[in-house]
């Protein structure tokens, strides 16, 4: 497997996991960039030879690939400002930003290396469980991205920007919104002085069942049954918080309409 010299731009959750994973796969991490030196050093101290860097002049860098693991709103600004050596490849890891946002950079080649997974610094992650969505207008760059994914033992899919955006929206519903609903249920339990652990078997079974038989078949509860009396009682209980009551009402109505 071909090995690459890679610079990481960013110090968030994705960079925190991706930098050491790439190094463990045999690649060389040359630099980690952040405007905050301390944040960059938190990552480089767990790497072999990477240097912490606070400026965007990479003209003397030995890296071949520059991975931007940064917030979506910063991608265009960083891509326009970064100074890169000849024949460099600049890629971003965003699920929602187009490939053409890198079009005005000084890179010779551009691409997207989007990990379709939820990242938290406090939780270890096996990259075998991280599918990557790849995109580039250059076939050699696309092959390089495939080799990067393979080196991490990750699956990968070649996805165009418009389809990746749809997938990213679907992922927000499946992951972020699901997590937020669980957070709400935890707050309700805590407010009542009840142990949230009582709900954990239910949550595990629901996710497992949904993946096994499909979400439509796995849907249960008062809304799908059309149990208006129970829906009313629940809505009254939530009157202590108008926002939660409205969320309950809207989601319940959407379940009714979907069935």
């Amino acid at each position: 497997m071909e090995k690459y010299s890679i610079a990481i731009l960013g110090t968030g959750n994705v960079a925190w996991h991706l930098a050491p994973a790439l190094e463990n796969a045999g690649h060389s991490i040359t630099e980690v960039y952040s405007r905050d030196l301390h944040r960059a050093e938190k990552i480089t101290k767990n790497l072999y030879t990477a240097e912490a860097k606070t400026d965007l002049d990479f003209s003397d860098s030995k890296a071949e690939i520059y991975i931007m693991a940064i917030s979506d709103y910063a991608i265009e600004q960083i891509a326009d400002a970064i100074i890169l050596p000849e024949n460099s490849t600049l890629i971003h890891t965003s699920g929602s930003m187009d490939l053409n946002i890198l079009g005005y950079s000084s890179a010779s080649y551009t691409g997207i290396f989007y990990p379709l997974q939820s990242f938290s610094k406090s939780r270890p992650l096996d990259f075998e469980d991280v599918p990557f969505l790849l995109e580039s207008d250059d076939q050699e760059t696309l092959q390089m991205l495939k080799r990067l994914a393979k080196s991490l033992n990750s699956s990968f899919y070649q996805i165009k920007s418009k389809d990746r955006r749809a997938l990213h929206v679907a992922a927000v519903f499946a992951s972020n919104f699901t997590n937020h609903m669980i957070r709400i249920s935890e707050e309700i339990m805590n407010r009542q002085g009840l142990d949230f652990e009582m709900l954990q078997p239910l949550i595990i079974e629901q996710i497992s069942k949904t993946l096994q038989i499909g979400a439509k078949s796995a849907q249960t509860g008062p809304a799908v049954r059309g149990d208006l009396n129970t829906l009313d009682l629940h809505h009254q209980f939530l009157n202590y918080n108008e926002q939660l009551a409205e969320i309950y009402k809207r989601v319940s109505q959407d379940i009714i309409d979907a069935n």
Side-chain angles (χ1 to χ4, degrees), residues 125-157:
L125 186 67
D126 188 340
F127 272 82
E128 289 186 8
D129 299 323
V130 183
F132 280 87
L133 308 186
L134 316 178
E135 184 179 1
S136 179
D137 291 332
D138 176 70
Q139 285 302 310
E140 283 299 318
T141 301
L142 196 57
Q143 292 305 313
M144 179 201 70
L145 295 176
K146 290 179 180 179
R147 287 191 287 270
L148 271 185
K150 286 180 180 178
S151 73
L152 295 170
N153 296 317
S154 300
S155 59
F156 56 86
Y157 304 89

Side-chain angles (χ1 to χ4, degrees), residues 39-59:
R39 289 171 65 92
E41 288 176 339
K42 278 188 174 181
I43 294 181
T44 57
K45 74 178 183 180
N46 295 319
L47 303 173
Y48 287 110
T49 58
E51 296 181 0
K53 187 174 176 64
T54 58
D55 67 274
L56 288 169
D57 185 354
F58 285 84
S59 55

